[in-house]
Amino acid sequence: MISNQVLQTAIDELRAITRIDLCVLDVEGRIIVGTFSDMDIPQETIRNFADSVADSQVIQGYHFFKVFDDRVLEYILIARGSSEDVYMIGKVAVSEIQNLIVAYKERFDKNNFIQNLLLDNLLLVDIYNRAKKLHIDVEARRVVYIIETKYEKDNLALETVKSLFALKTKDFITAVDERNIILVKELRDDEEYTQLEDTAKILLDMLNTEAMSSVRIAYGTIVNEIKTVSKSYKEAKMALDVGKIFYSEKNIIAYNTLGIGRLIYQLPIPLCQMFMKEVFGDNMPDTFDDETLITINKFFENNLNVSETSRQLYVHRNTLVYRLEKLQKSTGLDIRVFDDALTFKIALMVVSYMKYMEEQEK
């Protein structure tokens, strides 16, 4: 359905060019939009015209026209005056409104198609048939971005994304819930993951400055067929979740950079609990004090380098060694040794994952 604002703009532009007043009504005779408001034609007269077989008619000094949507009467258009010029302008207005109806229906249909495509609600034969009908290339390279906004129904963020991509007729902007904006972007043959990251950075900068919106952006892998777009969407969705758990400091997350976080995210909780019990017994890592956790994280950041870690923590080297030995006594793991450090790092990630899943269940 065309918005009243779009209809009003269309007839205002025609009025400015032709100086002919126009009015659009529904089939019951109620005024929707118009360039004049002093029309004194009874609604009964308008309804009688709507029920008649005529497509146009002169009544009480006005030209009446029917506007159809696929042979179904959608609007009544009235042009003030009864001359041939008024008739011609009325027919032009009818043609423009009918073209707007087709354009908006196609846009709505495309949005509906993309939403169902992302959610795997279509059979394979339906995907190809509907794509062909909507003039969507089935073999183009595409990728799916998910932009998660801080607030639900962030219209300013949505408009900002549209201002960047809506004019590109081969890109699609839609949503399947209240907080996520989805961009299905068609790619050139020479665009690879470096360019995808650049696009994400542009989106992030624009949304931070123009929309004053704090967002997180995730994207999936490049797909080459329309039927696999849902795969890229699922990957982007997973990247968004995994990023929250393991890479909370990042605002842009790519599926193909998730590393071991992606593996841990797909583990069943009972298996995680079994692993933690085997490694730590009853002394889980989430029971460590803040000082110990800061020491551990800084030690990992510096690739197990004792000297550099002590320098960045502003502590004596012996103090750091004492803390690491104390940690070894309580856990049985010496994180100065690579194998133990790897086990400990994975364990910390598993703890983060278990906490996240526990919060999701509340």
Side-chain angles (χ1 to χ4, degrees):
M1 180 68 71
I2 310 172
S3 69
N4 291 354
Q5 183 179 358
V6 171
L7 274 176
Q8 185 68 58
T9 301
I11 65 172
D12 282 344
E13 289 175 351
L14 282 170
R15 171 66 178 81
I17 296 168
T18 65
R19 298 183 182 178
I20 302 296
D21 281 311
L22 301 163
C23 187
V24 179
L25 306 92
D26 63 20
V27 293
E28 296 297 322
R30 294 182 290 264
I31 295 175
I32 299 174
V33 295
T35 61
F36 64 99
S37 58
D38 57 345
M39 185 176 63
D40 54 357
I41 301 173
Q43 283 190 340
E44 186 65 27
T45 302
I46 298 167
R47 285 196 290 268
N48 288 339
F49 169 70
D51 293 335
S52 71
V53 296
D55 288 342
S56 65
Q57 190 176 352
V58 176
I59 304 174
Q60 298 178 21
Y62 294 91
H63 262 296
F64 282 56
F65 302 89
K66 290 178 180 176
V67 181
F68 293 95
D69 174 13
D70 195 18
R71 299 183 182 180
V72 176
L73 183 62
E74 187 72 21
Y75 301 112
I76 303 294
L77 175 75
I78 297 178
R80 175 179 273 170
S82 56
S83 68
E84 285 295 320
D85 288 343
V86 174
Y87 173 78
M88 181 182 67
I89 298 305
K91 294 295 284 185
V92 169
V94 168
S95 177
E96 181 170 342
I97 293 172
Q98 288 184 160
N99 286 334
L100 283 171
I101 290 172
V102 171
Y104 270 73
K105 277 182 68 176
E106 184 168 301
R107 193 170 89 175
F108 173 80
D109 288 345
K110 281 184 178 179
N111 185 66
N112 183 263
F113 169 69
I114 293 297
Q115 287 179 341
N116 283 302
L117 181 67
L118 295 172
L119 297 173
D120 277 334
N121 290 339
L122 297 170
L123 297 173
L124 187 59
V125 64
D126 291 333
I127 291 173
Y128 285 104
N129 287 340
R130 290 186 65 180
K132 183 178 179 181
K133 183 178 179 181
L134 295 169
H135 310 293
I136 297 173
D137 189 352
V138 297
E139 294 185 347
R141 299 172 75 242
R142 294 183 174 89
V143 69
V144 176
Y145 289 86
I146 298 180
I147 302 108
E148 183 185 68
T149 58
K150 188 175 182 179
Y151 304 104
E152 293 185 359
K153 296 182 179 180
D154 192 334
N155 292 324
L156 189 54
L158 178 61
E159 291 305 315
T160 302
V161 176
K162 285 182 177 180
S163 70
L164 283 170
F165 297 98
L167 295 178
K168 300 176 182 178
T169 55
K170 295 182 179 181
D171 295 338
F172 302 101
I173 299 161
T174 187
V176 294
D177 56 43
E178 299 291 346
R179 287 187 59 183
N180 292 335
I181 301 166
I182 300 168
L183 168 65
V184 182
K185 189 176 188 304
E186 186 168 319
L187 306 173
R188 301 187 307 271
D189 290 339
D190 62 341
E191 284 188 275
E192 296 298 338
Y193 289 99
T194 302
Q195 286 76 29
L196 301 191
E197 185 73 12
D198 291 340
T199 298
K201 288 176 181 176
I202 291 169
L203 269 168
L204 185 68
D205 291 343
M206 286 288 289
L207 289 166
N208 284 340
T209 55
E210 298 287 332
M212 301 295 287
S213 181
S214 176
V215 302
R216 294 174 63 85
I217 299 173
Y219 58 92
T221 56
I222 297 171
V223 295
N224 296 306
E225 289 188 74
I226 190 76
K227 66 180 181 181
T228 51
V229 165
S230 63
K231 170 178 170 288
S232 187
Y233 167 68
K234 290 171 186 174
E235 290 170 346
K237 200 167 184 302
M238 179 185 285
L240 200 62
D241 288 341
V242 173
K244 290 176 188 174
I245 303 170
F246 306 118
Y247 315 107
S248 58
E249 73 284 357
K250 293 184 179 181
N251 291 319
I252 298 174
I253 308 291
Y255 176 80
N256 60 359
T257 63
L258 295 178
I260 196 171
R262 182 170 67 225
L263 178 63
I264 293 172
Y265 181 75
Q266 296 179 82
L267 293 175
I269 293 297
L271 188 61
C272 293
Q273 292 170 336
M274 188 186 303
F275 168 74
M276 297 300 293
K277 189 76 173 176
E278 288 175 358
V279 175
F280 296 107
D282 296 326
N283 194 15
M284 294 293 185
D286 59 344
T287 61
F288 297 146
D289 58 71
D290 290 341
E291 183 185 75
T292 303
L293 288 173
I294 291 170
T295 300
I296 294 166
N297 290 328
K298 187 61 70 175
F299 190 57
F300 286 147
E301 284 176 22
N302 290 294
N303 300 314
L304 315 186
N305 187 308
V306 174
S307 299
E308 183 59 25
T309 303
S310 61
R311 187 185 69 80
Q312 291 189 19
L313 289 174
Y314 303 103
V315 299
H316 193 275
R317 190 177 190 279
N318 290 343
T319 302
L320 177 59
V321 170
Y322 170 76
R323 291 181 185 176
L324 296 178
E325 289 175 348
K326 183 180 176 183
L327 179 67
Q328 182 182 2
K329 288 179 181 178
S330 65
T331 64
L333 296 174
D334 183 358
I335 63 173
R336 292 169 294 182
V337 178
F338 177 77
D339 286 351
D340 284 0
L342 182 60
T343 301
F344 202 97
K345 178 66 175 177
I346 292 172
L348 288 178
M349 294 179 74
V350 170
V351 168
S352 297
Y353 168 61
M354 291 170 65
K355 282 184 176 179
Y356 175 82
M357 296 306 294
E358 186 179 327
E359 289 173 3
Q360 296 302 303
E361 292 174 359
K362 290 180 180 178

